Amino acid sequence: MTYPLPEPRSIPGVTWRPAIKDDAAAIVVLQDACFEADGGFREVESEILERWESDYCNVTDDSLIAVKDDGRIIATSWSYIPTIAATKWRAFADNFVHPEWRTSEIQEFVHAWWEARCLQRLAVFDDGLDQWLWRGVYDWQTDAIDFLVEHGYEPMRYYDELIRDLSKPIDARPFDPALRVETWESAPLEDSLTAHNGSFIDHWGSQPIAETSWAQGVNEFTLMDASFVVYDGSEPVAYLMAAAFPHDFKDKGRTEAWVEGLGTIRSHRKRGIASALVTRAMEVFEAAGMEYAALGVDSENPTGAFHIYESLGFVSDRRNIAYIKKV
């Protein structure tokens, strides 16, 4: 089956084309306008430029933007597909339409182009694995939710973002003395990836991450001294990845550092490793002057992670929903 890309909508004074690196600053302006209207989160120019290094998309083929004659970008559509899969292939989006240009015609086209491009890319895989189109939206973004439901997407999973006030006491959660803990400054990067892929093998929707993609995820926002790998002998059995995004502080009204990733392989669960890792990260966050710790968790995580975080003092802040259409 073929999936032809829809023809771009003809709008006077607007050109549709793939993104180029010189567009990064204008893309930030567009996304900031969408953030002011919709909430969510911001990105800075360096994060936009990372897309040209990503394994998940070839920008020339997998992006489309609408540019006005004066250089303003009024819409973007990006197709992302991770490079490896074990049980399913997933296609993700970074689609934005400026609030002043949100006609039904433009929104329909941006979404239709993204779907068609994702379907073209997914069609090359003949391994029999499930294929999903995946869109994440916050629960207050009701217009976006209605749009996705109208286009055949269903809510499949809920991800809670939790925060923890670091001015409150942090109870000690010691590691098993038989284990060894290293920061990412001293541990080989591939060891944290080994721990991640081993930890998430039985988590809903998760798929292995390739080594190049993992390396691309380490950037200027990664807190290397607050990120850890836990070893049992020479085997990496757990990890924590931490990051901070200073461009969010003003919007949030607080400084915060994130536990971006956390996992323990199945054979080493129920030994308090995750609690000890989060506690150690919070201690580093607090020492660096952060006011809050933050993390995201699948509300139906089979390891009971939600309750672990509650026991560490985390409370719900906001919720993101995964809307899925199965191909």
Side-chain angles (χ1 to χ4, degrees):
M1 183 179 295
T2 60
Y3 299 96
L5 297 175
E7 287 297 320
R9 295 295 188 261
S10 178
I11 305 171
V14 173
T15 300
W16 295 89
R17 60 168 174 79
I20 59 175
K21 287 186 176 181
D22 287 347
D23 295 320
I27 292 172
V28 170
V29 173
L30 163 66
Q31 294 187 184
D32 279 349
C34 293
F35 172 83
E36 296 294 342
D38 309 322
F41 57 89
R42 296 186 192 271
E43 287 185 294
V44 295
E45 190 170 342
S46 62
E47 292 175 288
I48 303 300
L49 289 170
E50 286 176 358
R51 301 177 189 184
W52 275 263
E53 308 301 325
S54 173
D55 287 343
Y56 291 6
C57 75
N58 178 328
V59 175
T60 300
D61 298 324
D62 302 329
S63 72
L64 186 69
I65 65 174
V67 188
K68 286 182 59 63
D69 289 344
D70 61 8
R72 285 183 295 160
I73 295 176
I74 62 171
T76 61
S77 187
W78 301 75
S79 165
Y80 300 102
I81 297 179
T83 55
I84 58 176
T87 60
K88 59 183 65 66
W89 291 101
R90 303 165 299 162
F92 301 95
D94 245 336
N95 295 348
F96 294 90
V97 178
H98 195 286
E100 296 177 7
W101 290 84
R102 285 184 187 168
T103 65
S104 59
E105 182 180 38
I106 292 178
Q107 291 194 94
E108 288 284 350
F109 169 69
V110 166
H111 179 77
W113 186 92
W114 173 78
E115 273 204 350
R117 181 61 191 136
C118 290
L119 291 171
Q120 286 180 341
R121 298 180 67 192
L122 290 169
V124 306
F125 303 118
D126 59 359
D127 48 20
L129 298 182
D130 289 343
Q131 298 182 351
W132 290 0
L133 301 175
W134 183 309
R135 298 292 302 271
V137 297
Y138 285 96
D139 57 6
W140 66 79
Q141 295 172 332
T142 54
D143 288 346
I145 289 172
D146 291 344
F147 181 90
L148 291 172
V149 170
E150 289 170 4
H151 288 77
Y153 290 74
E154 298 180 5
M156 296 288 286
R157 209 71 165 191
Y158 298 85
Y159 296 90
D160 290 296
E161 293 181 7
L162 312 180
I163 58 173
R164 205 280 192 180
D165 184 348
L166 295 175
S167 69
K168 297 179 179 179
I170 301 173
D171 295 335
R173 299 291 179 100
F175 286 95
D176 182 332
L179 304 174
R180 174 169 56 91
V181 185
E182 300 283 352
T183 68
W184 280 28
E185 295 169 316
S186 58
L189 190 61
E190 58 266 27
D191 286 355
S192 58
L193 174 59
T194 297
H196 169 85
N197 283 340
S199 299
F200 283 85
I201 194 169
D202 55 359
H203 284 232
W204 182 90
S206 295
Q207 299 297 303
I209 297 179
E211 186 171 344
T212 52
S213 302
W214 188 254
Q216 289 164 356
V218 179
N219 54 36
E220 64 192 285
F221 305 109
T222 306
L223 301 176
M224 301 294 283
D225 63 338
S227 300
F228 307 101
V229 181
V230 179
Y231 294 87
D232 188 347
S234 61
E235 180 186 12
V237 298
Y239 84 102
L240 183 148
M241 175 192 286
F245 305 94
H247 48 279
D248 288 336
F249 293 170
K250 182 177 179 180
D251 295 320
K252 296 286 188 69
R254 61 178 182 255
T255 60
E256 63 183 16
W258 279 78
V259 174
E260 286 278 280
L262 174 69
T264 305
I265 67 173
R266 187 181 305 169
S267 61
H268 284 66
R269 292 174 188 163
K270 309 300 183 183
R271 294 173 60 174
I273 298 175
S275 297
L277 279 171
V278 175
T279 297
R280 182 166 295 190
M282 289 195 297
E283 290 171 346
V284 178
F285 298 164
E286 194 275 334
M290 295 295 170
E291 297 171 313
Y292 281 81
L295 53 81
V297 61
D298 179 346
S299 62
E300 298 180 44
N301 186 301
T303 67
F306 193 96
H307 298 297
I308 292 173
Y309 302 141
E310 283 186 321
S311 73
L312 295 172
F314 284 84
V315 296
S316 295
D317 185 41
R318 55 188 192 174
R319 169 170 279 193
N320 192 277
I321 309 170
Y323 275 82
I324 306 297
K325 179 192 282 189
K326 297 181 180 179
V327 177

